[in-house]
Amino acid sequence: MNFFQPLKNWQDINILLLAYIGDAVYELWVRQHLLEKGIAKVEIMHKNAVHYVQAKTQAAILKKLLPELDQTETAVVLRGRNAKGHHPRNVDVITYRYATAFEALVGYWYLDGQGQRMQTIFNRIDDIIQSLPPEE
């Protein structure tokens, strides 16, 4: 297996595994992104990274992206959102399912070799996050 080669049968992967892969890819991007922003201390990076990867933020990002998604991306999101699984107590079920759908979408982009599409969206993450209403 070549780490950077598309996976031909990504459609056969359990949607929660697709989200699991997407979670790792997004987490790695967040850490690199924060490094590029000049964050050089682990404690500060962790605090900032938590904001990017928390379920509430991921769900909000996905909701902003929904109108832009193509048919396949939308199908992945629907599969991810409808996946049955446990959720943490500190997050409501709907938010957690949208976050899972976001991670599944990232996993799809990664495993399907759509790095350019993924990077195009990731380049907008800061603007999307800044456009969200302030936390209460």
Side-chain angles (χ1 to χ4, degrees):
M1 178 185 106
N2 184 337
F3 184 68
F4 296 104
Q5 288 294 102
L7 192 63
K8 292 182 174 109
N9 62 340
W10 67 264
Q11 302 91 332
D12 298 333
I13 296 174
N14 177 298
I15 195 67
L16 293 176
L17 284 175
L18 201 60
Y20 184 71
I21 297 296
D23 176 56
V25 170
Y26 183 63
E27 177 80 30
L28 183 58
W29 175 83
V30 166
R31 291 178 185 195
Q32 181 175 340
H33 177 66
L34 294 174
L35 272 175
E36 290 170 354
K37 288 177 81 170
I39 296 175
K41 293 192 176 207
V42 173
E43 303 83 27
I44 298 170
M45 179 176 286
H46 176 72
K47 183 179 178 184
N48 282 273
V50 165
H51 179 67
Y52 281 81
V53 301
Q54 67 184 348
K56 184 177 179 179
T57 303
Q58 290 181 345
I61 290 168
L62 178 62
K63 288 177 183 177
K64 289 273 186 180
L65 294 175
L66 283 173
E68 305 171 31
L69 301 181
D70 67 24
Q71 187 175 6
T72 303
E73 293 167 334
T74 300
V76 169
V77 165
L78 291 175
R79 280 180 59 207
R81 190 193 68 197
N82 294 332
K84 302 291 185 232
H86 77 283
H87 71 281
R89 292 182 187 162
N90 63 334
V91 179
D92 69 271
V93 176
I94 302 299
T95 299
Y96 190 73
R97 286 191 175 173
Y98 273 93
T100 300
F102 174 75
E103 292 170 347
L105 181 61
V106 173
Y108 155 69
W109 285 329
Y110 177 75
L111 292 177
D112 196 45
Q114 295 194 39
Q116 185 62 46
R117 172 71 168 148
M118 182 170 54
Q119 191 60 52
T120 298
I121 298 297
F122 285 178
N123 286 342
R124 297 176 38 220
I125 294 287
D126 284 332
D127 291 336
I128 292 170
I129 290 173
Q130 288 177 354
S131 75
L132 301 175
E135 293 187 26
E136 299 167 4

